[in-house]
Structure formats: C-alpha cells, structure tokens
Amino acid sequence: MRRDNGRREHGFTLIEVLVAMVIMIGGVIVVANAWSGNFSRVKSARINNVAATLLERKMTEIEHEYYEKTVDDVKEEDGGDFGPMYPGYSWEMKSQPFEMPDLSGALVAQDGGADQTLITIMKSTAEFFKQSVKEVSVTVKYRSKKGNEIKHTVTTFLVDYTKELPMPGL
C-alpha cells in the first residue's frame, strides 16, 4: 500500500483480511462437521456396547436360572427393564421347542435308500430333541428419546439332560 507522500505502510488490505476470514470460517465448518459426525458415532457405539453387555448379562442370568431344571420349567415369554441405571433399555425372552429338520427324505434319497428301522430311529430322535431341548432367544431393546429403537438378539439352547433317548427295538 502506498500513500501520497511516497512512504510504504505495512499491513493487510480489507480484501486480504476478508479472504483470510472466509478460509478460516470454511476450516471451522469442516472441523465442526467432522466433530459432529464423530460425536454421533461415539454415542451410537456406546449405546450398542451397553446393549451388548446387558444382553450378555441377561443371557447368563437366564442360563443360571434354568440350570439343572427341565425344559418344561422354562417360561414361554418373559421380559422387563434394567432399572433406573439403564433408562431406555428393556429385554424380552421367548422360548420354543427345538424343531429338528426332517432328514428322512435325505436318507431315502441315498443309494439303496434307507430301511424302516433307520427312519424310525430318526423320527424318535427328532421327537426326543423336541421334548428335551428348548430354543431360547433374548432380545435387548434400546428406545431413544426420539422414539428410535435398536434391537440386539442372541439365541441359545437349553437342554434337559435327565431325559433318556428312546431307542425303539433296542
């Protein structure tokens, strides 16, 4: 910048200052967006981590509750929440008899087929599993204040080891 008397003064022009401010504001906006995205990912990770921990805890409680009991003692449905320490989190448990797939069709399709004794054994084994094994699914739900719901489910099998496997003809 030059003045009328020929001396140079050191400093920035208004245009240079405005350009610098626009660049700085652009950088602040980029950093703010990155921070906002990271914050929501951290919050989501925390919610999922708490849900996974509560799911593991609840599954362990259910396995302990029915340890050395018959599958007839297992409730069909149960549920509840985790108290004031975990607001927004709830759980539900559903059980059903284990359904073994019918393998007799695959046995008959083999070379030479399957004899009636093998088919009878397969059917009695399937019936045994239906009576002595329960499929138990536990779901932990998180409902946010906005109404969004996140579900995590795990399934296990509870076995009644006191039942004997019937073998017809033996």
Side-chain angles (χ1 to χ4, degrees), residues 38 62 137:
N38 285 338
I62 288 172
S137 296

Side-chain angles (χ1 to χ4, degrees), residues 54 57-58 61 78-92 139-141:
L54 292 173
R57 184 177 96 183
K58 184 50 69 178
E61 288 175 8
D78 200 3
D81 61 13
F82 292 98
M85 193 166 172
Y86 298 101
Y89 290 92
S90 62
W91 66 276
E92 65 180 25
T139 302
V140 170
K141 300 177 188 176

Side-chain angles (χ1 to χ4, degrees), residues 10 16 27 36 55 71 73 80 87 102 109 122-123 146 151 155:
H10 299 286
E16 291 171 330
S36 172
L55 183 58
V71 292
D73 296 336
D102 184 16
M122 289 301 297
K123 288 186 178 187
K146 295 178 183 177
K151 294 181 181 181
T155 301

Side-chain angles (χ1 to χ4, degrees), residues 3 11 42 82 88 105 112 136:
R3 293 191 103 198
V42 167
F82 292 98
V136 178

Side-chain angles (χ1 to χ4, degrees), residues 1 6 16 18 21 23 45 47 68 74 77 79 92 95 106 109 114 129 154 159:
M1 182 166 154
E16 291 171 330
L18 288 176
M21 287 183 70
I23 293 171
I47 289 169
E68 293 187 352
V74 179
E77 290 187 11
E92 65 180 25
S95 70
F129 282 135
V154 69
V159 180

Side-chain angles (χ1 to χ4, degrees), residues 89-100:
Y89 290 92
S90 62
W91 66 276
E92 65 180 25
M93 184 267 303
K94 293 182 179 181
S95 70
Q96 63 185 14
F98 175 71
E99 291 290 331
M100 185 173 167

Side-chain angles (χ1 to χ4, degrees), residues 9-26:
E9 291 201 20
H10 299 286
F12 297 105
T13 64
L14 181 59
I15 298 294
E16 291 171 330
V17 170
L18 288 176
V19 168
M21 287 183 70
V22 166
I23 293 171
M24 187 175 75
I25 288 172

Side-chain angles (χ1 to χ4, degrees), residues 96-116:
Q96 63 185 14
F98 175 71
E99 291 290 331
M100 185 173 167
D102 184 16
L103 302 174
S104 59
L107 293 173
V108 171
Q110 291 180 5
D111 290 338
D115 63 353
Q116 191 58 38

